[in-house]
Amino acid sequence: MIAAFLFLFLTISTGGSMHALTTDFAEACYLGALPSLGPSNSIRLTPWGSPTIMNETTTCCSSLDEVRAGIDSIDAQLLNLLAQRAAYVREATRFKTTRDVVDVPTRDTQVIDGAVQNALAFHLPQTVAKAVFTAIINSSVSFELCVFDSYPDT
């Protein structure tokens, strides 16, 4: 789940140079709620299946270590993007006159719904987009309330 979210941010940060291959046996896992599937009892030789990420003209990945290195790189980019987002959240607080207007539920819904709606364009499962953006919004509201409450009364 996190890998799909991370793929989204790497795609954005690299100008879209990465993309998933077009044939996808797991396509049903991208729309709305995840399908109810029974557990697979298969014992597979690894790696099973075919690489699903292409970077320019090569495919990724030939080992689990290569996958993890890619995820670690994206994690660092995500932290940077989240720090930038937090800076904007803090800045937004300056425009709030009272504590009760810090959280704007209609805006929260707009952001989450927009992420879900745009998820498929990035080959991101909608359920991942909803969960991640819900967590981002909830933690941002808590952060913004803390910032608001921390400012000295004049």
Side-chain angles (χ1 to χ4, degrees):
M1 175 159 64
I2 297 298
F5 179 68
L6 299 173
F7 175 75
L8 163 70
F9 278 96
L10 183 59
T11 301
I12 292 169
S13 66
T14 60
S17 65
M18 292 186 70
H19 65 278
L21 299 177
T22 55
T23 305
D24 189 355
F25 64 88
E27 193 64 37
C29 298
Y30 288 81
L31 299 171
L34 295 175
S36 178
L37 302 172
S40 173
N41 294 320
S42 298
I43 298 174
R44 300 179 178 128
L45 297 175
T46 58
W48 56 270
S50 301
T52 58
I53 298 174
M54 288 197 65
N55 187 355
E56 297 175 21
T57 59
T58 61
T59 56
C60 177
C61 298
S62 61
S63 71
L64 186 55
D65 288 340
E66 188 178 351
V67 171
R68 289 178 175 157
I71 290 172
D72 291 347
S73 173
I74 295 167
D75 285 349
Q77 293 175 52
L78 278 172
L79 287 172
N80 182 44
L81 290 170
L82 289 169
Q84 290 176 47
R85 189 183 195 288
Y88 278 103
V89 168
R90 180 179 175 149
E91 190 66 15
T93 309
R94 293 188 324 104
F95 297 94
K96 310 289 176 82
T97 56
T98 62
R99 191 177 202 278
D100 64 328
V101 297
V102 168
D103 184 22
V104 182
T106 56
R107 174 67 177 149
D108 300 347
T109 301
Q110 177 188 26
V111 171
I112 294 165
D113 289 350
V116 171
Q117 185 177 23
N118 292 320
L120 293 178
F122 294 98
H123 200 66
L124 176 69
Q126 290 176 321
T127 188
V128 172
K130 184 172 185 170
V132 168
F133 277 85
T134 298
I136 289 171
I137 292 298
N138 289 340
S139 59
S140 294
V141 169
S142 297
F143 172 65
E144 192 173 4
L145 286 168
C146 181
V147 170
F148 188 89
D149 292 342
S150 297
Y151 193 78
D153 292 332
T154 54

